[in-house]
Amino acid sequence: MTKLTVAALQLALNADIETNIGAVSDLVEEAAGRGAQVILPPELFEGPYFCKVEEEALFATARPVYEHPCVLAMQKLAASLKVAIPTSFFEQDGQQYYNSLAMIGPEGELMGVYRKSHIPDGPGYEEKYYFRPGNTGFKTWDLYGTRIGVGICWDQWYPECARAMALMGAQLLFYPTAIGSEPYDATLDTRHMWRRAMQGHSVSNCMPVIAANRIGVEDGQAFYGHSFITDEWGELVERFDGGETGVLVSTVDLALAAKHRAGMGFFRDRRPDLYGRLSEDR
């Protein structure tokens, strides 16, 4: 396949999981109706972003992948619409808990699970209380004759994550997200640097990036949206601002992106023999 149509969803979420699943499902259907083949909802769309507090009762909301309501609902929807839906969810695996993503294919099949590798820990984003660091390694997925890579939120700030997925053959990078205001510093507005970081991954790997964020105010914490899709040059071809609910859709010319990627020489001119320092834990 030389072209792929992708979508990013942006919406506010509340405390009722069934309402959230319904709202996401409506947007998935809209995206599919506009021709989207891979449709990306935001991170942890099952409910409010709960990681701003440390509350042990919230562990009870996690489920194994084969039992999680969001995964089951998106599997049914994907099979009906013949689309792929990278689905973020709070995963329980025995005694362990992860911030995970179920890759759901266009027949509704569970293609596998990616567990978030980089886990933040700071005011308003206290994820280390809830989630173990992922043990899956980075993952890529074969869909529609191409290969995609998917990171989760904090992963998107790390150039190593994007480059690793590109080296694994990814031709597009997807990032479901939950990010907004910084409770410790009301003057810090990260929305533009958030975009720029991922646009940099797009430029340095010469491939499109798709990011989906939530919106709305949740217990005083404002989530700023700004979901977007880039082309292989890092240009914003589709984007939302802070308060919009809806669907971004763009058709990617994979053959043209591959041509540019080869021509730029980023992968030809790599010097892994010089990069040992990157893997040192100090």
Side-chain angles (χ1 to χ4, degrees):
M1 179 174 288
T2 61
K3 293 188 177 181
L4 184 74
T5 302
V6 300
L9 312 183
Q10 181 168 291
L11 72 164
L13 301 160
N14 62 38
D16 183 72
I17 188 170
E18 294 302 327
T19 300
N20 294 329
I21 288 172
V24 168
S25 297
D26 288 345
L27 293 181
V28 169
E29 290 179 352
E30 179 184 340
R34 294 169 59 184
Q37 297 159 282
V38 183
I39 302 170
L40 182 69
E43 180 187 20
L44 295 172
F45 66 82
E46 58 206 69
Y49 179 75
F50 56 87
C51 305
K52 54 186 167 289
V53 297
E54 296 184 4
E55 174 54 66
E56 65 180 12
L58 292 173
F59 284 101
T61 64
R63 295 287 185 276
V65 63
Y66 292 107
E67 300 175 13
H68 199 286
C70 290
V71 176
L72 296 175
M74 292 303 110
Q75 283 186 281
K76 183 177 180 180
L77 193 59
S80 172
L81 299 172
K82 303 304 179 188
V83 298
I85 310 173
T87 300
S88 172
F89 70 105
F90 187 12
E91 182 188 12
Q92 180 185 9
D93 181 14
Q95 303 300 328
Q96 315 299 341
Y97 297 84
Y98 299 94
N99 187 337
S100 297
L101 181 134
M103 177 54 68
I104 298 170
E107 301 300 324
E109 73 276 26
L110 179 64
M111 299 177 68
V113 172
Y114 167 67
R115 291 168 172 165
K116 186 172 180 177
S117 299
H118 302 92
I119 309 297
D121 184 27
Y125 302 93
E126 298 177 29
E127 294 195 13
K128 280 189 168 68
Y129 178 77
Y130 296 99
F131 311 129
R132 288 174 60 87
N135 58 3
T136 60
F138 301 124
K139 304 275 281 189
T140 58
W141 318 90
D142 292 324
L143 285 164
Y144 300 107
T146 188
R147 182 171 294 178
I148 72 169
V150 184
I152 302 174
C153 201
W154 193 225
D155 289 334
Q156 69 207 355
W157 294 89
Y158 292 83
E160 298 89 345
C161 176
R163 178 52 57 87
M165 291 189 288
L167 290 171
M168 294 165 69
Q171 298 185 59
L172 308 94
L173 302 176
F174 290 75
Y175 295 103
T177 300
I179 190 170
S181 59
E182 303 291 339
Y184 72 97
D185 185 353
T187 69
L188 179 59
D189 183 350
T190 63
R191 72 192 70 195
H192 299 300
M193 68 178 80
W194 173 76
R195 269 186 178 169
R196 285 195 297 269
M198 285 178 280
Q199 287 177 268
H201 304 331
S202 180
V203 172
S204 296
N205 295 288
C206 206
M207 62 184 60
V209 167
I210 300 91
N213 191 18
R214 66 175 63 204
I215 57 173
V217 178
E218 300 175 8
D219 294 327
Q221 189 172 12
F223 292 87
Y224 52 61
H226 280 67
S227 305
F228 66 89
I229 301 172
T230 74
D231 65 12
E232 68 272 19
W233 298 127
E235 297 291 341
L236 296 170
V237 296
E238 297 289 343
R239 56 182 165 180
F240 277 138
D241 292 324
E244 297 168 273
T245 295
V247 177
L248 299 174
V249 177
S250 182
T251 298
V252 176
D253 189 329
L254 297 167
L256 184 60
K259 176 183 176 181
H260 291 156
R261 192 160 51 248
M264 289 300 292
F266 294 140
F267 294 90
R268 178 197 64 209
D269 297 338
R270 291 180 66 249
R271 290 291 308 276
D273 55 309
L274 303 179
Y275 302 157
R277 181 69 180 87
L278 296 178
S279 62
E280 295 176 8
D281 188 20
R282 59 181 174 84

